[in-house]
Amino acid sequence: MKVVLQKEVPGLGSLGDTVEVANGYGRNFLLPRKLATLATPAAVKEAQALKQAELRQQARTEAEVAEL
């Protein structure tokens, strides 16, 4: 089962990653706890946008730290 992570999951990946997990793990653990969603084309596109936004934020933060 392919899922897109909505939060960081230790040992699996971080926000926005698309990972392949066992059906039971995805269905019984990740999906009910809203840690992941099914990897539909729309969800993958949204995850990529979130990841890009996170990278831009990190770059801004690093620039501010460099100024100080």
Side-chain angles (χ1 to χ4, degrees):
M1 165 185 288
K2 273 194 163 188
V3 295
V4 176
L5 298 177
Q6 299 297 313
K7 296 182 182 175
E8 184 172 346
V9 179
L12 192 57
S14 61
L15 172 72
D17 288 348
T18 302
V19 294
E20 181 77 28
V21 296
N23 289 339
Y25 183 59
R27 186 174 47 249
N28 297 324
F29 184 77
L30 296 174
L31 295 176
R33 289 174 174 81
K34 305 223 186 283
L35 297 174
T37 58
L38 290 175
T40 62
V44 171
K45 193 172 191 178
E46 182 181 336
Q48 289 174 347
L50 286 173
K51 198 149 189 114
Q52 291 297 325
E54 183 180 339
L55 290 174
R56 283 193 301 270
Q57 179 62 33
Q58 285 178 351
R60 251 186 248 130
T61 304
E62 289 174 6
E64 289 176 6
V65 169
E67 283 182 24
L68 296 176

